[in-house]
Amino acid sequence: GAGVSQSPSNKVTEKGKDVELRCDPISGHTALYWYRQSLGQGLEFLIYFQGNSAPDKSGLPSDRFSAERTGGSVSTLTIQRTQQEDSAVYLCASSSSANDGNTIYFGEGSWLTVV
Amino acid sequence: QKEVEQNSGPLSVPEGAIASLNCTYSDRGSQSFFWYRQYSGKSPELIMFIYSNGDKEDGRFTAQLNKASQYVSLLIRDSQPSDSATYLCAVNAANFGNEKLTFGTGTRLTIIP
């Protein structure tokens, strides 16, 4: 597609439920990133994919968080047993090869509210 | 020490003046540096990137990099009300093969008409 596409754009869920957030990167981009941004805060790195593998998943806050990427394209971020502190906007981004100097482009985000 | 530090602001600048945004980083091996603009409720959008020491100009925007001082800045000339946003500084992690960008918390800029 023309840009990074994320779904759902908004999600309200009850505490304890699982949620899945989807990201469809820019066509041809091999690198895919998940960031989290809480209200009024900066971007917190979660995980990075190069192709289908995740060289850096150091930012995942707990074992309730997991992510996968299949076919070198779409990625899913799953949050199990959601907690109120998980409320944030989850931003996906993609970039082409390393030679592109890490110019990454963001989707519009998935706004998650845990009640 | 945070990896990427910015003054959170708010920074208020009169319309038509120069806005100066600053950022310092802790990893001396960092190679590439980015400025993103984020309007309230929107996702970040890339404004400029810079790799080499010195200045890089693009329209009303100038990025300045000083690797010795671990300092990168963004100047906005002839500031417009539409420039009011949060500006995020981002730095490439220096580890080979790790393409992660580390972001600062952003500086909120308000242009006063």
Side-chain angles (χ1 to χ4, degrees), chain A:
Chain A
V4 179
S5 178
Q6 292 189 245
S7 62
S9 54
N10 282 284
K11 176 74 176 179
V12 179
T13 190
E14 291 181 351
K15 178 182 173 181
K17 300 283 189 183
D18 297 352
V19 295
E20 281 191 356
L21 307 176
R22 175 189 166 103
C23 173
D24 197 348
I26 293 173
S27 179
H29 278 192
T30 57
L32 185 147
Y33 312 77
W34 284 99
Y35 286 84
R36 178 171 73 172
Q37 188 174 33
S38 301
L39 190 63
Q41 301 298 310
L43 274 71
E44 176 188 4
F45 171 79
L46 298 179
I47 188 170
Y48 149 69
F49 287 92
Q50 181 63 46
N52 291 334
S53 64
D56 189 343
K57 53 180 75 172
S58 62
L60 293 177
S62 73
D63 59 7
R64 296 187 295 106
F65 287 73
S66 62
E68 65 175 13
R69 188 180 187 194
T70 56
S73 181
V74 172
S75 175
T76 302
L77 177 68
T78 300
I79 309 172
Q80 295 178 309
R81 305 180 302 282
T82 51
Q83 303 295 311
Q84 288 184 330
E85 61 263 28
D86 299 334
S87 296
V89 58
Y90 289 81
L91 290 161
C92 178
S94 70
S95 70
S96 61
S97 68
N99 290 336
D100 191 36
N102 293 338
T103 306
I104 69 174
Y105 300 90
F106 285 87
E108 290 300 313
S110 289
W111 295 73
L112 174 66
T113 303
V114 181
V115 297

Side-chain angles (χ1 to χ4, degrees), chain B residues 7-67:
Chain B
N7 187 325
S8 62
L11 175 65
S12 296
V13 173
E15 183 175 357
I18 296 175
S20 178
L21 304 162
N22 304 316
C23 172
T24 59
Y25 58 95
S26 60
D27 189 339
R28 186 170 289 278
S30 298
Q31 297 297 318
S32 47
F33 308 86
F34 302 80
W35 283 99
Y36 283 81
R37 177 177 62 199
Q38 186 175 29
Y39 292 114
S40 181
K42 298 293 186 181
S43 61
E45 56 180 328
L46 179 68
I47 300 176
M48 290 190 71
F49 58 87
I50 185 168
Y51 306 142
S52 304
N53 277 327
D55 294 0
K56 179 182 178 183
E57 186 174 320
D58 183 1
R60 295 187 296 112
F61 299 95
T62 299
Q64 300 175 316
L65 175 61
N66 183 326
K67 289 186 177 181

